[in-house]
Amino acid sequence: MKIDVNGITLNYEKVGTGSPLIMVHGNGETHEIFNVAREKLKDRFTCYLIDSRGHGESSPVETYSYQPMRQDIIELIKALDLKNVTFYGFSDGGIIGLLVASQTDLIDTLIISGANTRPDAVSKKLLWMFRIMWFFGRDEKIHMMLKEPNIDDSELFKIKAKTLVLAGSNDIIQESHTRHIADCIKGSTLCILPGEDHGSYIKNSEKIADIILDFCK
């Protein structure tokens, strides 16, 4: 399905019945990483699986920034008149979720995996890899991760949604940073998943569906 928001066209898949669950993927991916999870989730939720701008079948863009991506989701929620929204975001999707939840009251339940609030929260090795990839490839998606996000703790303090902060014990995001995000969101739940990396429990996996269902019981 297609919807025009914020000057672009977003592609999304809608499946299931129940209260709305918006799911947003990470950098360089598409909504198809949730194809396995959605099969478990569709009996509990109406799932809206989004291709972020510049990804999948959504409108291409010349430059990338998290704030326009945040506005895309805000306008989608309003255009579809969604209420009692649960938002799940992986990596970049988690960053978008933090921005939407800190700047609006449109999200009732927020679940994020492997999100960061500043570029240097990723491992030093990966940060250098991003710099090399940007130098040789000039991929604007990589460039965004080198300069963004820049989410202040004061913004996290504003989040009122029921929140679950997830990361793998072997995540590319520093565990201390994930714990800090959870500490800044009042009443949030933190879960560090043993043996999991950044996306092992998410991409084409039922594990994230089980976590979402359990948290939303």
Side-chain angles (χ1 to χ4, degrees):
M1 304 178 75
K2 307 283 186 179
I3 187 169
D4 293 329
V5 294
N6 198 24
I8 64 157
T9 300
L10 280 185
N11 178 64
Y12 69 98
E13 184 175 354
K14 178 183 176 183
V15 60
T17 56
S19 59
L21 167 63
I22 295 173
M23 303 184 75
V24 182
H25 58 80
N27 194 294
E29 300 164 344
T30 74
H31 75 274
E32 293 179 350
I33 67 168
F34 302 127
N35 281 354
V36 173
R38 73 176 184 183
E39 294 305 308
K40 281 197 118 175
L41 293 166
K42 66 182 182 180
D43 292 334
R44 165 66 174 80
F45 296 101
T46 301
C47 301
Y48 295 83
L49 312 174
I50 315 296
D51 283 343
S52 294
R53 60 168 54 207
H55 293 74
E57 295 183 30
S58 292
S59 294
V61 294
E62 292 184 2
T63 60
Y64 292 81
S65 177
Y66 293 115
Q67 288 291 348
M69 292 176 170
R70 171 217 61 151
Q71 191 62 30
D72 295 344
I73 297 300
I74 290 172
E75 294 191 17
L76 177 140
I77 292 172
K78 291 179 176 179
L80 297 178
D81 194 28
L82 302 181
K83 308 296 183 185
N84 302 315
V85 172
T86 298
F87 182 100
Y88 171 71
F90 166 52
S91 199
D92 277 16
I95 294 168
I96 294 165
L98 290 173
L99 289 170
V100 175
S102 66
Q103 297 173 23
T104 77
D105 59 357
L106 295 173
I107 294 175
D108 288 83
T109 302
L110 174 66
I111 304 169
I112 61 170
S113 293
N116 56 303
T117 61
R118 62 179 195 269
D120 64 357
V122 304
S123 67
K124 292 181 180 179
K125 180 179 179 180
L126 188 65
L127 192 59
W128 274 107
M129 187 180 300
F130 287 162
R131 289 170 179 157
I132 293 168
M133 291 168 68
W134 164 243
F135 181 81
F136 287 104
R138 297 295 166 175
D139 185 335
E140 287 295 331
K141 294 189 294 296
I142 300 296
H143 193 212
M144 176 176 67
M145 292 192 292
L146 287 171
K147 62 182 182 177
E148 299 183 24
N150 298 291
I151 304 173
D152 191 77
D153 289 352
S154 62
E155 295 180 76
L156 299 179
F157 295 151
K158 296 176 184 177
I159 295 176
K160 297 179 180 178
K162 176 185 176 184
T163 302
L164 174 62
V165 179
L166 297 167
S169 62
N170 300 319
D171 211 296
I172 61 173
I173 305 300
Q174 298 171 29
E175 185 173 320
S176 59
H177 184 73
T178 300
R179 291 183 178 278
H180 180 73
I181 291 173
D183 287 342
C184 289
I185 301 174
K186 185 177 179 180
S188 70
T189 300
L190 171 69
C191 183
I192 304 296
L193 299 165
E196 303 289 355
D197 62 28
H198 190 55
S200 58
Y201 60 105
I202 297 158
K203 299 178 184 181
N204 304 310
S205 174
E206 289 187 347
K207 292 180 182 179
I208 191 58
D210 292 334
I211 293 169
I212 293 170
L213 289 169
D214 185 62
F215 189 66
C216 294
K217 282 192 299 189

